[in-house]
Amino acid sequence: MKIAVAKGDGIGPEIMDAVLKIFAANKVPLEYEFVEMGKWVFDKGHSNGMTKLAKDTIESLGILFKGPMETPKGKGVKSINVTARKTWNTYSNKRDFRTLHGVDTVFSKAGIPIDITVVRENIEDTYGGIEHMLTHDVALSRRFITRPGSLQVIRYAFEMAKLKNARRITCGHKANIMKITDGLFLECFREVAKEYPELKADDVIIDDLCMKLVTRPDQFDVVVLTNLQGDIVSDLCAGLVGGLGFAPSANIGDHISIFEAVHGTAPDIAGKNIANPTALLLSGIAMLRHLGLTENASVIENALLYTLEKGVHTGDFGDKNIPAVNTTAFADAIIANLGQKPEIGARDIMPNKPGTPKPLHLDANPMMVSKEEENEKIVGVDFFIESDEQPSAIAEKCERHAGVKFNLINISNRGTQVWPTGSVYTNLVNQYNVRFESIDASPLNQQDIIGLYVSLSGNFKICSHELLNQWGDKKAFSLAQGQ
Ligand code: NAI
């Protein structure tokens, strides 16, 4: 089997060399194709941070093992890490956080074991980076949560929970506030949960989840979340088990998967040979399991756990009474311990069963569409307009444009209704949402909306607009606070 390897920037080459040395010592049956990705590739003028050859190689091999990569600041380029995850649709980001014997934390000292897997949606949410300044004062970010995208990651989380023999799978969300976006994610979770009656599936609001994770982390097993919330919660969980040096990550897609550490390039310690390679090694071990190389994975993991138990540590963790070793010496200690088993948490050695790689060639982009609703109609429109007038003055002008097809329903500012009712204590910014609905909820067409757009533009600068859809009796839009 051949995989693509990118060493990365900063501490990347040091920790990747350490991990590949351990793989070689354990005779891991993998060949490596080294590819050009990272800051130095940006600097050479490749705007997406990788060469064409790197892209083609990764697409033909299907597996990328990568070190951390730096995104050049202030050049308007997008993060290579995010681009890679999104381009190749690695829709699930899986991060395992386990108590490691030898890595002291408040929980290990209190005898509270942690074994949490965070599955984070990896493509959607605010990470699309679709952002605009609507006025000089108002920035808008679009947050996409889709049904097919949510189902993909949630199904993966349930399958993974089954493999892990998990007792519980929890959906973290903020559906009480973001009723449509997080509401859709939660709805998908509940739908998929019905296919797995043997698993205890529940949901916890994200703020409560954070509080519970730091007080009773042992009560959680698998947690699935949308992208941004998952990003934050996974770093929180990394903190529970000893920090970023111990946080591995697998970005799983149907065709291409990427394995990397959670941490970045650590520029403050780069080139000093003192970085902790554990997170990248744990990511590599997850990759070996993904490829069916279970025996290599368990032998190496046991050697790592044994080494940690013996107190061997790099400078970023461990018993301060035992001198720290450097990256190379840490890797050599693990190599010397290949074949040893730790007292706690030893993995059973299962023979390798290399998986058959999935066919990688695609002729067209996969289109994911779920069922269309019947009785779809447009019942109104939200216009986002720039204005520094008072709400009543805006309403007076808008009503003049409503004509015979529309009613002006309400006006809100930063999501709070300010007309027809509201409070003078609501601070305003120079961007309003004016909502028109059709008279008697009769269906509208796009020409009706364009007619209103043109008319309204005589009085206001329209920054953007959104159609108000209705499917059967279900309104596909949120109400303003106070509406
Ligand atoms: P960072 O994770 O690189 O460093 C944060 C702190 O943790 C630093 O004090 C660093 O020395 C320490 N640290 C991180 N990994 C360590 C290790 N293996 N051993 C010992 N100490 C370690 O985060 P920061 O400074 O915010 O980001 C630096 C660069 O990394 C940025 O350019 C950022 O864009 C990039 N980055 C890349 C990621 C990736 O490739 N997946 C993920 C996160 C950041």
Side-chain angles (χ1 to χ4, degrees):
M1 267 187 289
K2 203 179 217 187
I3 62 164
V5 177
K7 291 192 176 183
D9 303 311
I11 58 169
E14 300 159 49
I15 55 175
M16 185 61 85
D17 286 346
V19 170
L20 295 186
K21 193 173 169 194
I22 296 167
F23 280 13
N26 187 234
K27 300 194 169 44
V28 170
L30 283 178
E31 279 179 55
Y32 312 119
E33 184 89 39
F34 292 92
V35 294
E36 300 191 329
M37 290 175 86
K39 179 174 180 296
W40 58 280
V41 185
F42 277 114
D43 292 344
K44 272 167 60 181
H46 297 271
S47 61
N48 61 358
M50 67 179 114
T51 60
K52 165 93 174 54
L53 182 61
K55 182 171 180 282
D56 292 346
T57 306
I58 294 159
E59 289 183 358
S60 73
L61 297 176
I63 298 283
L64 172 63
F65 187 31
K66 71 177 273 296
M69 290 175 193
E70 183 182 333
T71 308
K73 292 192 181 75
K75 293 193 179 166
V77 293
K78 298 218 173 190
S79 154
I80 172 82
N81 306 304
V82 179
T83 303
R85 289 173 210 157
K86 287 166 68 83
T87 310
W88 293 313
N89 205 55
T90 62
Y91 51 79
S92 296
N93 181 256
K94 172 177 165 282
R95 298 177 178 183
D96 292 311
F97 303 102
R98 277 211 294 159
T99 305
L100 296 170
H101 197 205
V103 182
D104 279 346
T105 66
V106 280
F107 295 103
S108 65
K109 284 181 188 155
I112 298 174
I114 298 174
D115 184 1
I116 301 172
T117 303
V118 175
V119 179
R120 158 190 171 196
E121 198 286 316
N122 221 10
I123 310 281
E124 307 187 342
D125 203 339
T126 44
Y127 283 63
I130 303 169
E131 302 192 320
H132 298 92
M133 292 300 295
L134 294 193
T135 76
H136 56 271
D137 278 346
V138 179
L140 176 83
S141 165
R142 292 202 153 217
R143 178 172 194 245
F144 282 99
I145 303 290
T146 72
R147 170 174 282 280
S150 302
L151 288 174
Q152 268 186 330
V153 63
I154 290 167
R155 278 229 163 78
Y156 171 80
F158 272 89
E159 277 301 311
M160 207 275 311
K162 219 166 79 172
L163 276 178
K164 193 187 169 188
N165 288 324
R167 332 155 245 141
R168 179 182 181 194
I169 176 163
T170 305
C171 174
H173 63 86
K174 194 74 182 174
N176 53 328
I177 303 295
M178 292 174 281
K179 293 184 176 20
I180 298 211
T181 46
D182 272 27
L184 176 59
F185 192 77
L186 181 57
E187 189 181 298
C188 291
F189 177 83
R190 288 182 176 150
E191 265 173 47
V192 176
K194 289 191 195 132
E195 298 166 22
Y196 297 82
E198 69 282 11
L199 272 168
K200 179 179 182 304
D202 60 1
D203 66 276
V204 182
I205 291 174
I206 189 72
D207 32 345
D208 189 24
L209 177 67
C210 289
M211 194 269 292
K212 289 193 165 112
L213 278 168
V214 297
T215 48
R216 289 303 305 269
D218 53 324
Q219 293 183 344
F220 292 91
D221 205 341
V222 175
V223 184
V224 57
L225 307 114
T226 52
N227 204 342
L228 177 60
Q229 294 170 23
D231 193 2
I232 297 165
V233 166
S234 47
D235 271 29
L236 183 154
C237 290
L240 300 178
V241 295
L244 285 178
F246 302 93
S249 148
N251 302 285
I252 307 289
D254 287 338
H255 303 279
I256 296 172
S257 296
I258 304 171
F259 295 82
E260 61 182 339
V262 170
H263 61 72
T265 59
D268 49 335
I269 56 167
K272 296 183 181 163
N273 194 28
I274 56 170
N276 177 2
T278 306
L280 188 65
L281 181 59
L282 287 168
S283 312
I285 291 168
M287 178 180 71
L288 298 182
R289 287 215 167 85
H290 181 81
L291 294 169
L293 300 175
T294 36
E295 182 169 344
N296 295 103
S298 297
V299 169
I300 296 172
E301 188 166 0
N302 284 344
L304 165 69
L305 297 178
Y306 181 86
T307 306
L308 293 172
E309 264 183 10
K310 293 290 161 212
V312 181
H313 67 94
T314 45
D316 55 309
F317 75 102
D319 187 344
K320 296 290 170 228
N321 297 317
I322 303 175
V325 297
N326 67 21
T327 312
T328 316
F330 189 74
D332 289 342
I334 295 170
I335 290 169
N337 291 331
L338 286 168
Q340 300 285 2
K341 280 195 171 183
E343 268 173 47
I344 298 175
R347 293 283 192 173
D348 293 336
I349 311 285
M350 313 282 275
N352 283 350
K353 272 198 201 149
T356 321
K358 293 191 179 178
L360 289 174
H361 180 73
L362 292 179
D363 288 322
N365 294 71
M367 170 61 75
M368 311 187 295
V369 187
S370 51
K371 68 181 165 58
E372 300 239 335
E373 301 281 339
E374 286 175 10
N375 291 328
E376 262 188 58
K377 59 180 180 179
I378 300 170
V379 294
V381 59
D382 277 345
F383 285 110
F384 297 84
I385 59 163
E386 179 168 352
S387 174
D388 54 11
E389 293 177 275
Q390 285 294 305
S392 54
I394 293 173
E396 197 185 312
K397 287 180 188 164
C398 284
E399 282 183 318
R400 274 191 254 138
H401 296 286
V404 292
K405 290 207 167 169
F406 292 93
N407 273 331
L408 176 66
I409 299 297
N410 79 328
I411 300 177
S412 56
N413 193 293
R414 290 191 286 171
T416 305
Q417 179 169 293
V418 290
W419 185 93
T421 55
S423 163
V424 286
Y425 292 99
T426 302
N427 282 0
L428 303 173
V429 296
N430 64 350
Q431 201 259 331
Y432 286 89
N433 175 8
V434 295
R435 174 166 289 181
F436 293 90
E437 289 184 15
S438 66
I439 285 172
D440 304 330
S442 51
L444 298 162
N445 59 36
Q446 295 214 70
Q447 281 69 28
D448 297 324
I449 306 294
I450 292 167
L452 180 58
Y453 191 114
V454 172
S455 174
L456 201 63
S457 66
N459 271 116
F460 300 104
K461 178 176 163 203
I462 300 172
C463 307
S464 66
H465 79 280
E466 290 293 343
L467 299 179
L468 303 181
N469 294 307
Q470 188 164 315
W471 300 320
D473 294 333
K474 194 174 162 196
K475 288 187 169 169
F477 49 91
S478 62
L479 301 180
Q481 196 87 44
Q483 189 179 349

